Each structure stands twice: as structure tokens, then as C-alpha cells.
Amino acid sequence: MNVHRHPFDAVVVGAGGAGLMAALYASKHVKTAVLSKLYPTRSHTGTAQGGIAAPLGNMEEDRPEWYAYDTVKGGDWLVDQDAAELMAYESIEVIIELEHMGLPFDRTPDGKIAQRRFGGHTRNFGEAPVMRSCHSADRTGHMILQTLYQQCIKQNVIFFDEFFVTDLILEDGTVRGVVAIEIATGDIHVFHSKAVLFATGGAGRIYKVTSNAHSLTGDGMAIVWRKGLPLEDMEFFQFHPTGIYKLGILLSEAARGEGAVLINDKGERFMERYAPTLKDLASRDVISRAIYMEIREGRGIGGKDYVYLDFRPETINRFKSAPGGMEVTAEYLERKLPDIIEFVRVYLGIDPMREPVPIQPTAHYAMGGIPTDVDGRAIRDEHNTPVPGLYAAGEVACVSVHGANRLGTNSLVDLVVFGRRAGRHMAEYCRQADFAPLPPEPEAFTVEMVERIRNGTGKERAPILRNELQDTMQTHVSVFREASGLETAIDKIRELQERYRHIRIDDKGYRFNTDLLEAIELGFLLDVAEATAFSALNRTESRGAHYREDYPKRDDDNWLKHTLIWRQDGKVTFAYKPVVITKWPPKERKY
Amino acid sequence: MKVRLRIQRFNPEKDRKPWWGEYEVEAEPVDRVLDALHYVKWYIDGTLTLRRSCAHGICGSDAMRINGRNRLACKVLVREAMEEGRGVITVQPLLGLPVIKDLVVDMEPFFANYRKVLPYLINDDPPPERERLQTPEERERYDDTTKCILCAACTTSCPSFWANREYIGPAAIVQAHRFIFDSRDQGATERLRVLNEWFGVWRCRTIFNCVEACPRGINITRAIEEVKLAILTGRLA
Ligand SMILES: Cc1cc2nc3c(=O)[nH]c(=O)nc-3n(C[C@H](O)[C@H](O)[C@H](O)COP(=O)(O)OP(=O)(O)OC[C@H]3O[C@@H](n4cnc5c(N)ncnc54)[C@H](O)[C@@H]3O)c2cc1C
Ligand code: SF4
Ligand code: FES
């Protein structure tokens, strides 16, 4: 196995929206490398559909404070309000910056960026839905990813495509670089750097039914956690209400933003009962729970475990005079939602303009992750002590602007607002910091791991263990949770971790060994699942996406605080960080 | 249902030449060909190598030849592929790019062509305070070509590309089109100059394979014709 070394001031791991935005800013000032296990344009940001929020007020009056408030309320008051306000204000200039970079937003008749409604986004602190989501049909993420990549090409950003990062080099609490496998050759590369920014995205593959790509295996979270650093708020994992039944492929909230409604077996628009004001545009956790309540009470379609998302024009028009109602034609919907309409046609073989679509909640978004401050600096404890040189941005990070439940359109905002801030801060840091020396054999951990898996002769197989993990998480750590289920999940994860030590793979080669990479990814998944399940068991209240049947109430007296979880010598420990509250003291959340 | 797969295998680390792997797997009719390939990889032979990520036709990772036509494995259902292949699904890597292993080809020549057309907005005017204005009609003008996911299905289905690997290929022209016809862009002259070179648009013989292959339904031939016309007339009508 060949080992190579490269010096760079800064290394960005991941080339989705967050990584590319950070790279654009960092590489203007310091020598920056972007490492990505996928070609940058394959990153999952490209699948984001519905839009990116900014209170531009292009369609109707809107204000940053309203947006910040909605974000705080959407997150069930676990959002750090200083960060939410900052994001709400900066979203405007960043969206304009994206437009200037060439992003092809849809337009209003007078040529401005077009906006649409989205769940939980309201005017005047909850009065009625507001048009805040800037979009490009239902391909907003694709356009963002392409546009940022185009700018990187223009700016000659240095990419290492299909480099799989396995380890962070951290000595005496400071960053020294990362270790990566060059996928095409199997060679090991040590990147010696002053700073490292993780932008590796989410971890949806801990679950069975998910909107997330096969590649979203929580690598960044696991790598950092293994270094004895904490993860924050891992118990909060969002289930998006409308995934295609069984497949989990997402049908964006944009459908409901354009007027679509959820329907149960009796043909009722059941969200009227659960969220009388915003109905089908209530926040995601509320709707996902409502769907499961309907199913439990026997009102799933044909008594089964799904309901309908109905976006036939005649259905939408039937509700046109209700508040927030829309009047649409099939032609209009085909223009506004072309991709999701196609998904239904291709994968279900039905025409959503003529038939309602079977849906179920799908594991979608990790609110938790590597704790950072608003400049993307990773922190090591509940006192916000930064780890010199370590940064994180995007879904892998927890700022926290999403609190206990993220609003739709807010991840894309998070990527570009905090990707930019982190890129800038990292460049500044690199300009004043020196290279800390590499330890002897920085690649040792990776070499040992790779050889152990490659030469493993045990009887366990990674795909089987992964299935068992995904089933367990889906059953016990999903929309509804309770202590005994969580304990079962933890025992199972422990068992799988033990069995993982005895895996054997078929591919013993070096070249493009995806058998090996999938096995390494399984190791990451197991760690992220462990952090998630332990954090969920630990939080004995219900808030946002974390719903404990044995503790069904929000408990601000004891739990208005962020969880930090560490693992040391195989044992997890917790600490807590206060929520930053500036303007909006917690109150009951109603939609 | 039972699904039969014939997969072209080649690992230069140990094979002297490509060979056919034959597999039988159990699948649901509505499973994707990608699911069937995963079945082989996960439960029969872990050495089978392919790229994939999103599994729903957006990331562009898994373009390959399925029953002799370029497609995304995640966007073809096994039921259809079985019918089409009369009971067996034949899977091969894209043609015209060097094979790294099994279904994985070296994408670098493809991306090198992409970079040649200056695939980014060029506008040196100081930007306004707010967004640059663009009417819905101006926006519509280049909508089709914004959909490209750089999967390479088109370029590697093109006989002109097979005949001459220097040909810039349909995907790069699609990318150029996306900017040339964007009312905010000022780089058309430079891009048209590149596309007018010997490796540019004139190698297109309007064979339409690319349109057939494109998983995003882009009317590639029309985009190429519009670029040719712009070169000939000097106008961006
Ligand atoms: C179907 C879908 C629709 C969505 N729609 C919306 C929406 O409309 N609005 C919204 O705001 N949000 C939406 N989201 C959420 C949002 O798209 C994601 O949260 C966001 O794109 C994540 O971006 P990222 O940059 O953090 O990571 P990603 O885009 O996932 O990129 C991760 C990067 O990290 C790299 N990487 C990972 N691990 C490694 C490793 N070990 N070594 C090297 N590289 C690595 C990958 O190659 C990739 O480049 C949607 C999500 C999904 C799944
Ligand atoms: S034009 Fe179509 S086929 Fe060609 S690269 Fe783009 S998406 Fe793929
Ligand atoms: S896996 Fe993304 S396009 Fe097929």
C-alpha cells in the first residue's frame, strides 16, 4: 500500500453545498484542498427539491424576525436564537450572492426571484403561511450544487475527487490534518493541514426507509466522535412526512406548498384536526406523528401503514377557498413540480395528476451533529471551547439553528450561510496559525483498519449487519420512542458492534474497492446509531422530532438544554449546554 | 420475481480481459436495476463494483449500458428491463471511457471536456444590490439545459465520440448552451469560439442517440442545433 503526503493550509472534507461554499471562501485566501468520496456534483445536496428560505418579500411582505421566530418555533425552542437571527438576516445576502453566481431561480413576472409557501413558514409570528421559499422548480438543490461547483471551477479550487476520508489527525487537542483512501487505487494519502472542515452531510442510512443517499453514512460525525470529541443533540432526527411508500424517496413539501393535501382512508383531510391553522403546512414532526396516529387508529389506506398525498388539481381546487388555498391546473403543477411528478410515474407507475400517491414518513435529516459556534468552529465541551483548527458546516454540524426539528428550506440556508462563515473563519485562522507537526505514522490507524477488514476471516457480512441495524433503528428509534424499545436498540447496536469485529469481505484488492468502503461506512453507521439511541434514551421528555411515549410532554424545567454526548472507553457520557434565548421565551407550540 | 443478470466484469488487477458474470436474483417487479445489482453485490459477490449514491435518478452516478442502451440503473425497473431483454438483463460499463473496474469508468476525460466550455456564469459588470432581473421568458429560454446531471450517458452513446475521443461531446455542449442562452451571461462569444473548433459542435452528425440516452429528458439535439445556429448567424435568437 502506497502512502502519499500533501501539505495544505486547509482541507475541506465533503463537496456538497456546505463544503463547496466553504471552499469558495477559504480558497480565496489560503491553499485549500477539497476531498470528497463522491464526485462533487453527486453530493446529496443535488437532490434537495423544494427551496431555500429568505425573507426577500418578493411576493408579499416578509421580515427576518418573522423568519427567525418561525425557525425557533419550528425547532420547539431548542434553537439557539442568536444563530437563528443571524441566519435569517444573512439569508438575504447569501441568496442574492447565489443569484449573482448564476443560480437559475424561478422568476416572478417582474423578473425577481420567485417564492412559495413551505411548512412552518409564516407571516407575523404564526398568523398564516408566507411565501418565503426561493426555488427553481423542484430542483433547487441541483441548481445550488451545480452553481457552486461551477464557481469552484472558475476559481480553480483544488479537488481530490473520490478520496474517502477515514480519520482526523488530532494531537494534543489541535488539528494536524486528515487521512484518506484514494478510491481508484487504494493508496493512502495523508493531508497535513492547519485546519480541517467537515462537510460530510447526514446519516440517514442508519434507518431502513430514508430519503438519504446510500452514501450518507455519517462519516464526519463518527470520525470526530471517535476522537473523543462530543456530538450534540443526536436524539433529534427528522422524519419527513411524505416519502414514497416503502421506497422512502422524497416528495417535497413544495407539493403541499402548492396546495396538495394529506388524506386518510376515510377521505378526510386529517391535518385539519391536528393543526387547525397551518394544516398540511404544519412542521414536519407534527405531521409525521399525525400520519402515524391515523395509521394506528386504523385510518391508514385500506388499514395499512400508509396514507395518501393527493395533488390532483381537482383535490387542490376543492380546498381553494380555505385559508391558504390555491387554484391550480395540471399544467401549472407539471411546471412547478416536474421531478417529483416524474418520480411517482417512474417508481410507482401511477400518474399523480390522476391518482393520489401512497406515502409514509421517511428518515430525512439529522438535526444533531458536530457542535459548532456560528463561525463553524467545532467545540469540545459545554463551555463552547473551540478545538483549534477544527470546523464543521452543513448537515454534519449542529450550530444549532434547527433545534429539535428543522423547518423545510432551512438546511440549504444553513449550508450556504454557515458554509460561508466557516470558510471565512478558517482562512483567517490558517493565516495566523502555524502547521503543527504530524505525529509519527499518522496513517497507522487507517492502515490497521483497512488491513483488518481486508484480511478478516470471520463469518459476519457487512450487508447483513447493516440490514439488522436499519431494521432496529426503524422499529425502536423512529417517530415514536419509549425506554424499553430504546434499550432494546442499544443492546442490538452493541451486539452488532461486536459482530462487526468479525466481518469478512469478498474483495481483497486495492483498486476501487467498494466492498471495503461499505464495510468502513458500516462502522460509521454503528457509531452514529449508538450516539442517537443513547441520546434518545437519555432525554426523558418530548420535544420536536423526539417523541417519547413514556414522557409525552415537553419539559422546559429540566430539558431546555442541548445534549452533548461523548464516548470514552466504550462508555457514553453526557453534558448539557444551555439554549441561547434572546427574544422569544418558550411557549406552547401550536400550528 | 426471478431476475437474470449478465454483467460485464473486468478487474485489471487480476483479469486479462473482460468476462461475463451471470447471476440470478430474487426481486420485486418494481425494484430498480440498481436494487438487483446491489443484491448481487451484497449477497452473492461483493467484488462487483459500481458507482451509485442517490438511487432516484438525480446524482448521475450510475449511468451504464443496460440491454445495450445507456441509462441510470436506478431509473429502470427490473420488470421493464427483463421484458426488454427477453428474460435477461445485460449490464455493461459506458462505452468510450476507460474501464477502471467492472461498471466503473474513468470520468476524467468527460469532466475535462466539460471544463473546456467555461461552465460558469460570466458577467463582469458590478452586481446590483439585489438580484439581477430576468423575466420568466428569459429564464425559460435555457431551462431545459439546466437539468443536466453530468451523468455522461449522452456523450458515451454518441458514435462521433466513439470515433474520435477528442470530440467535446453532447454533455459539454448542453452545459455551454445553459450559459450561452442565459440573459445574464456575457461569455457567449468565448464559448462559441471553443465550440466552433475542430473538436466542437461540427462533429455532431445529428444521430439522436444522446436524446434517447438522456435520463433528464433534455432535448440535446435541439440544444446543439441552437448552438450551431448561433455560431453561423452570430446571434442568440
Ligand atoms: C431528497 C431531499 C430533499 C431535500 N430538500 C431540501 C429542501 O428543499 N430544502 C432544504 O433546505 N433542505 C432540503 N434537504 C436537506 C438538504 O438537502 C441536506 O441537508 C443538505 O443538502 C446537506 O448538504 P451538505 O453539504 O451538508 O452535505 P451533502 O450534500 O450530503 O454532501 C456531503 C459530501 O460529503 C462527502 N463525504 C461524505 N463522507 C465522506 C468521507 N468519508 N470522505 C470524503 N468525503 C465524504 C460526500 O462525497 C459529499 O460531497 C433535502 C434532503 C433530501 C435528502
Ligand atoms: S445531457 Fe443528459 S445524458 Fe448528457 S450528461 Fe446531462 S443529464 Fe446526462
Ligand atoms: S444513483 Fe444517483 S442517479 Fe442513480
Side-chain angles (χ1 to χ4, degrees):
Chain A
M1 201 180 324
N2 299 314
V3 180
H4 311 257
R5 288 199 179 181
H6 315 263
F8 278 92
D9 292 310
V11 169
V12 175
V13 185
L20 294 180
M21 194 72 181
L24 278 174
Y25 273 85
S27 66
K28 278 185 196 149
H29 305 291
V30 297
K31 196 176 164 209
T32 305
V34 184
L35 279 54
S36 176
K37 67 178 178 181
L38 305 171
Y39 271 100
T41 58
R42 316 286 183 229
S43 303
H44 212 55
T45 294
T47 65
Q49 301 170 353
I52 175 164
L56 300 177
N58 284 356
M59 322 284 289
E60 56 186 333
E61 189 192 355
D62 199 4
R63 298 184 196 165
E65 307 84 71
W66 297 350
Y67 175 26
Y69 173 80
D70 289 340
T71 299
V72 168
K73 178 177 172 187
D76 218 349
W77 274 271
L78 197 73
V79 170
D80 286 330
Q81 298 185 4
D82 53 341
E85 279 191 81
L86 187 148
M87 182 171 88
Y89 280 90
E90 283 192 14
S91 67
I92 299 179
E93 60 177 86
V94 186
I95 299 303
I96 299 297
E97 181 179 356
L98 289 174
E99 196 284 331
H100 291 165
M101 289 176 180
L103 202 141
F105 285 110
D106 284 5
R107 299 287 171 157
T108 64
D110 52 353
K112 296 185 195 153
I113 296 171
Q115 300 185 271
R116 65 158 71 111
R117 295 186 181 126
F118 234 81
H121 291 279
T122 69
R123 50 167 284 110
N124 205 14
F125 310 104
E127 223 168 69
V130 74
M131 298 197 200
R132 185 178 291 149
S133 164
C134 310
H135 59 274
S136 185
D138 53 0
R139 314 186 172 110
T140 315
H142 166 75
M143 302 299 186
I144 291 178
L145 186 65
Q146 294 285 328
T147 302
L148 293 174
Y149 186 57
Q150 291 156 2
Q151 291 298 307
C152 287
I153 292 177
K154 185 171 181 192
Q155 217 177 280
N156 287 313
V157 171
I158 302 167
F159 284 98
F160 291 82
D161 294 333
E162 302 195 317
F163 274 57
F164 182 101
V165 171
T166 47
D167 194 16
L168 168 70
I169 312 169
L170 185 79
E171 287 277 312
D172 305 328
T174 25
V175 163
R176 319 280 163 119
V178 295
V179 183
I181 302 171
E182 179 180 4
I183 299 176
T185 60
D187 285 0
I188 304 276
H189 293 251
V190 175
F191 290 81
H192 184 195
S193 67
K194 300 175 187 173
V196 170
L197 184 148
F198 279 95
T200 49
R205 288 282 156 179
I206 56 177
Y207 293 102
K208 185 172 167 185
V209 177
T210 175
S211 65
N212 282 198
H214 287 287
S215 55
L216 288 175
T217 45
D219 306 10
M221 297 176 198
I223 290 170
V224 165
W225 206 43
R226 287 173 183 184
K227 288 286 151 183
L229 294 170
L231 295 175
E232 179 174 352
D233 290 345
M234 292 300 286
E235 60 272 39
F236 299 101
F237 203 99
Q238 178 170 79
F239 284 74
H240 191 294
T242 56
I244 293 181
Y245 183 48
K246 285 192 176 158
L247 291 173
I249 297 172
L250 193 78
L251 301 178
S252 171
E253 210 160 286
R256 282 169 285 133
E258 302 289 358
V261 293
L262 292 161
I263 299 288
N264 66 14
D265 194 48
K266 294 172 126 176
E268 289 169 334
R269 184 184 185 185
F270 57 85
M271 281 313 298
E272 284 175 339
R273 275 187 273 121
Y274 296 89
T277 311
L278 292 190
K279 303 186 183 79
D280 300 84
L281 286 175
S283 70
R284 292 175 176 173
D285 57 322
V286 172
I287 300 185
S288 288
R289 272 195 299 277
I291 292 172
Y292 278 127
M293 292 306 288
E294 291 298 299
I295 290 171
R296 280 187 179 183
E297 284 162 22
R299 291 189 295 275
I301 304 302
K304 294 228 208 61
D305 57 340
Y306 64 91
V307 297
Y308 283 139
L309 175 67
D310 193 340
F311 48 122
R312 292 174 292 185
E314 65 265 30
T315 308
I316 294 178
N317 293 338
R318 201 162 75 218
F319 296 105
K320 73 175 177 228
S321 42
M326 304 276 287
E327 180 154 18
V328 298
T329 59
E331 193 257 325
Y332 170 85
L333 292 174
E334 301 255 9
R335 201 168 64 241
K336 284 297 192 183
L337 307 168
D339 279 2
I340 62 171
I341 289 174
E342 191 191 17
F343 297 153
V344 176
R345 289 186 179 137
V346 170
Y347 297 109
L348 292 177
I350 65 176
D351 182 356
M353 295 296 95
R354 290 161 192 281
E355 283 175 73
V357 184
I359 56 98
Q360 77 183 106
T362 182
H364 187 57
Y365 185 86
M367 267 74 71
I370 302 170
T372 71
D373 66 10
V374 293
D375 289 311
R377 289 192 292 182
I379 57 164
R380 61 158 55 258
D381 57 28
E382 64 275 30
H383 312 296
N384 290 317
T385 316
V387 182
L390 187 61
Y391 292 79
E395 190 168 337
V396 71
C398 180
V399 179
S400 147
V401 283
H402 308 305
N405 170 63
R406 170 174 77 79
L407 286 192
T409 73
N410 267 7
S411 171
L412 294 175
V413 185
D414 173 3
L415 307 184
V416 290
V417 166
F418 294 104
R420 186 171 83 150
R421 293 181 71 91
R424 269 189 193 142
H425 199 282
M426 180 166 69
E428 250 167 58
Y429 173 84
C430 289
R431 278 197 293 198
Q432 48 83 22
D434 291 323
F435 276 95
L438 284 174
E441 292 193 71
E443 69 281 2
F445 169 81
T446 300
V447 171
E448 190 274 327
M449 170 173 71
V450 165
E451 290 310 321
R452 181 168 33 85
I453 297 175
R454 199 197 311 275
N455 302 324
T457 52
K459 62 176 185 1
E460 301 291 352
R461 313 288 291 179
I464 309 272
L465 300 190
R466 189 174 52 215
N467 287 347
E468 291 184 25
L469 174 70
Q470 291 168 341
D471 281 336
T472 301
M473 293 297 287
Q474 189 80 26
T475 312
H476 298 296
V477 199
S478 82
V479 172
F480 291 103
R481 302 155 171 197
E482 41 81 39
S484 68
L486 292 167
E487 280 157 6
T488 310
I490 288 168
D491 290 345
K492 182 72 188 182
I493 293 165
R494 290 283 192 230
E495 173 207 315
L496 292 169
Q497 281 167 331
E498 171 56 32
R499 286 164 62 195
Y500 178 70
R501 295 170 48 212
H502 308 284
I503 57 170
R504 164 172 57 91
I505 58 174
D506 290 340
D507 196 336
K508 310 287 184 197
Y510 287 88
R511 194 181 179 93
F512 224 102
N513 190 340
T514 52
D515 205 16
L516 171 71
L517 300 186
E518 284 191 31
I520 298 174
E521 287 173 337
L522 172 62
F524 294 148
L525 285 174
L526 287 165
D527 286 356
V528 173
E530 180 186 350
T532 305
F534 269 107
S535 300
L537 179 63
N538 185 57
R539 183 176 285 267
T540 47
E541 66 153 354
S542 292
R543 182 185 297 273
H546 175 68
Y547 190 85
R548 286 283 301 260
E549 296 194 85
D550 40 359
Y551 299 90
K553 289 244 154 26
R554 196 175 82 192
D555 175 2
D556 288 336
D557 292 342
N558 294 304
W559 286 107
L560 188 60
K561 57 190 181 188
H562 299 289
T563 308
L564 294 178
I565 183 169
W566 287 260
R567 186 178 58 189
Q568 263 131 9
D569 309 320
K571 282 225 166 57
V572 301
T573 53
F574 294 97
Y576 304 95
K577 214 166 71 114
V579 177
V580 180
I581 293 180
T582 53
K583 286 198 180 140
W584 300 292
K587 54 180 196 186
E588 199 196 339
R589 195 167 63 133
K590 275 209 208 109
Y591 282 105
Chain B
M1 65 189 279
K2 282 247 178 305
V3 171
R4 284 181 54 218
L5 291 155
R6 263 180 95 230
I7 306 175
Q8 184 180 319
R9 306 290 310 269
F10 180 49
N11 178 2
E13 263 179 340
K14 47 183 223 233
D15 303 326
R16 289 211 341 274
K17 54 181 205 290
W19 52 280
W20 289 102
E22 312 232 350
Y23 311 90
E24 203 170 86
V25 308
E26 195 50 52
E28 299 285 327
V30 293
D31 277 351
R32 299 152 271 200
V33 171
L34 177 62
D35 297 315
L37 294 172
H38 269 152
Y39 192 98
V40 174
K41 180 172 182 61
W42 292 342
Y43 308 115
I44 301 176
D45 179 358
T47 68
L48 175 65
T49 304
L50 64 145
R51 291 192 181 99
R52 90 292 186 252
S53 183
C54 74
H56 65 284
I58 300 296
C59 75
S61 296
D62 58 345
M64 54 187 75
R65 264 167 95 78
I66 298 174
N67 296 334
R69 282 166 52 200
N70 282 2
R71 279 173 291 183
L72 301 173
C74 66
K75 223 179 161 178
V76 187
L77 304 189
V78 290
R79 181 183 55 209
E80 288 155 24
M82 281 290 279
E83 255 168 51
E84 184 187 72
R86 300 220 186 79
V88 52
I89 306 175
T90 306
V91 186
Q92 297 164 274
L94 296 173
L95 283 179
L97 293 169
V99 174
I100 295 179
K101 186 168 159 188
D102 293 343
L103 303 170
V104 174
V105 295
D106 180 2
M107 296 291 288
E108 191 39 40
F110 173 82
F111 280 105
N113 282 340
Y114 162 73
R115 289 191 293 266
K116 279 190 195 139
V117 301
L118 317 178
Y120 39 79
L121 190 85
I122 298 176
N123 183 326
D124 297 330
D125 296 342
E129 186 115 320
R130 295 285 292 208
E131 63 263 54
R132 293 194 177 94
L133 298 180
Q134 182 169 60
T135 65
E137 295 71 36
E138 288 167 335
R139 168 66 181 78
E140 183 59 29
R141 181 67 190 83
Y142 64 101
D143 186 60
D144 202 30
T145 44
T146 62
K147 295 187 295 198
C148 175
I149 54 174
L150 296 167
C151 70
C154 54
T155 298
T156 58
S157 73
C158 175
S160 300
F161 178 74
W162 299 336
N164 187 337
R165 308 279 171 81
E166 299 293 317
Y167 170 38
I168 198 158
I173 305 174
V174 162
Q175 287 293 329
H177 179 281
R178 179 250 169 274
F179 292 101
I180 292 170
F181 293 93
D182 184 336
S183 58
R184 301 168 297 175
D185 183 80
Q186 302 170 340
T189 317
E190 184 54 20
R191 289 192 200 92
L192 291 173
R193 192 190 60 66
V194 174
L195 293 175
N196 196 19
E197 295 213 29
W198 61 272
F199 55 79
V201 282
W202 306 109
R203 293 203 170 257
C204 166
R205 301 275 181 269
T206 328
I207 299 166
F208 290 103
N209 280 11
C210 53
V211 181
E212 271 278 294
C214 179
R216 301 294 286 150
I218 300 171
N219 192 336
I220 303 176
T221 311
R222 187 176 69 200
I224 297 177
E225 288 306 306
E226 288 176 356
V227 169
K228 286 180 178 169
L229 200 68
I231 294 176
L232 290 175
T233 63
R235 279 204 321 263
L236 303 178

